[in-house]
Amino acid sequence: MGDAFIYAGLRTPFGRYAGALAASRPDDLAATVVRAVVERAPSLDPAEVDDVVLGCANGAGEDNRNVARMAVLLSGLPVTVPGVTVNRLCGSSLQAAMDASRLVETGDSSVVVAGGVESMTRAPWVLPKPAKAYPAGHETLVSTTLGWRLVNPRMPEEFTASLGECNEQLADELGIGRERQDEFAVLSHRQAARAWADGFYDDLVLPVDGLERDEGIRPDASAETLAGLKPAFRPDGTITAGNASPLNDGAAAVLVGSEDAELGLEPLARIAGRGAAALEPQRFGIAPVDAANRALAAAGISWADVGAVELNEAFAVQSLACLDAWKIDPEIVNTCGGAIAIGHPLGASGARVLSTLAKVLVERHERWGVAAICIGVGQGLAVVLENVA
């Protein structure tokens, strides 16, 4: 078994729902980052890319028919480069990177592009086929943008609560109140705005279709403004549009290769450990806790060794729950902002946190880092990186 390394990573800016990327097809967004991350390697012959593994949570619209293969064909890469699409909902592109690392470690591949894409704006409505011909009643279009749809009636009702309601339950269980959630959200916006101002994202984000920066960051966010927002899921709830991630469009990719891959690049980080975990679907927000602990065990280190964490902020409450469970210093978490500010296009977020972590480790001169993400329907993923730059 060899080692797998991250050599480069980039993403599109993340557009808000119905925003600047509303007219951008997901397969085009995916093609853009696939082509661009390959071009980051000056010595890489595109024909030598062994595989393209992309994540996508929806797959019901323009991202259907194996969007990874569509991205290869649209990107101008040789038609001999294969592509496969994986779906672990919010964790899809982190799963893609994990799969890519396994391909490299086993020697099946030397160079793999991994990443993911989502257009939540362009996610279609779907209409199930009727059980009988010529139904007399009305039919209902179902949105595929987010959450449960076409639910199996045998599924236990408590499993199928909305994502927001699930996290309200988590807030009740753990006693994480509105004020603390809002403070966490404000910090996300401030950290993201500062990172952009400092140039951190200049070489991680590729302008596309007229959008140069993440569309949802609010540098002027404050606890006072967030306190004025109404609860989104319960009349007396704690979760609002301000302390949860928005709906977004975007794509992200990383270049994964072996130690002897001829890329003309030095590796940034070694993929040192991986972890997947699952629990009751309604408690999905804390699934990263066990996933990260498993990844650390696989890497042979502990939380005391970790100098940076990138945790996808689906909701402030679940992020805080994870940090409390890990008992880590919040100062090392999402130092360049998180999904509450940057956005959460489902299939792209895992690759975003992974590429951000690799750069944070290099810039902060830290050796070990953790990238983690919660996943609807009760799952979590995590990857441990070792800085080798």
Side-chain angles (χ1 to χ4, degrees), residues 71-85:
V72 169
L73 299 177
L74 291 167
S75 71
L77 265 62
V79 297
T80 52
V81 176
V84 61
T85 303

Side-chain angles (χ1 to χ4, degrees), residues 21-34:
L21 299 182
S24 305
R25 287 178 58 113
D27 46 3
D28 285 329
L29 293 174
T32 297
V33 295
V34 167

Side-chain angles (χ1 to χ4, degrees), residues 53-55 86 91-101 112-116 381:
V53 186
L54 295 185
V86 299
S92 294
S93 57
L94 194 57
Q95 182 67 52
M98 294 165 73
D99 289 354
S101 68
V112 181
V113 174
L381 287 179

Side-chain angles (χ1 to χ4, degrees), residues 297-312:
I301 63 170
S302 71
W303 279 111
D305 301 302
V306 174
V309 175
E310 285 293 321
L311 172 64
N312 191 61

Side-chain angles (χ1 to χ4, degrees), residues 17-248:
Y17 186 84
L21 299 182
S24 305
R25 287 178 58 113
D27 46 3
D28 285 329
L29 293 174
T32 297
V33 295
V34 167
R35 178 176 60 252
V37 82
V38 170
E39 291 174 347
R40 288 284 174 93
S43 300
L44 176 62
D45 179 351
E48 297 302 313
V49 175
D50 294 303
D51 213 343
V52 173
V53 186
L54 295 185
C56 184
N58 202 333
E62 296 158 340
D63 45 14
N64 76 94
R65 299 296 294 170
N66 187 4
V67 70
R69 178 59 176 165
M70 299 301 106
V72 169
L73 299 177
L74 291 167
S75 71
L77 265 62
V79 297
T80 52
V81 176
V84 61
T85 303
V86 299
N87 186 346
R88 204 192 281 259
L89 300 180
C90 305
S92 294
S93 57
L94 194 57
Q95 182 67 52
M98 294 165 73
D99 289 354
S101 68
R102 293 185 181 105
L103 287 170
V104 171
E105 289 172 359
T106 59
D108 287 348
S109 299
S110 179
V111 180
V112 181
V113 174
V117 64
E118 208 76 49
S119 174
M120 301 179 79
T121 299
R122 298 177 72 84
W125 293 296
V126 296
L127 181 67
K129 289 182 178 179
K132 298 179 181 179
Y134 310 113
H138 298 293
E139 296 293 334
T140 301
L141 289 170
V142 179
S143 173
T144 65
T145 297
L146 181 70
W148 291 88
R149 76 289 303 252
L150 308 180
V151 179
N152 190 314
R154 296 193 301 108
M155 189 67 69
E157 185 176 356
E158 64 269 23
F159 289 177
T160 63
S162 72
L163 301 179
E165 170 58 26
C166 290
N167 278 274
E168 288 286 11
Q169 294 175 21
L170 194 63
D172 289 344
E173 175 188 344
L174 300 176
I176 299 175
R178 167 77 179 267
E179 184 177 351
R180 191 177 174 207
Q181 293 177 50
D182 285 351
E183 289 174 352
F184 183 88
V186 169
L187 183 61
S188 181
H189 283 281
R190 290 178 178 172
Q191 299 275 53
R194 182 170 63 247
W196 270 107
D198 291 346
F200 176 86
Y201 286 115
D202 289 355
D203 64 348
L204 278 182
V205 178
L206 181 71
V208 61
D209 295 344
L211 184 62
E212 297 185 354
R213 291 194 171 194
D214 301 310
E215 202 172 6
I217 299 172
R218 298 183 182 276
D220 58 347
S222 68
E224 291 74 24
T225 57
L226 264 63
L229 299 177
K230 294 181 179 180
F233 303 99
R234 293 180 182 176
D236 59 346
T238 63
I239 299 173
T240 71
N243 59 35
S245 61
L247 307 178
N248 296 95

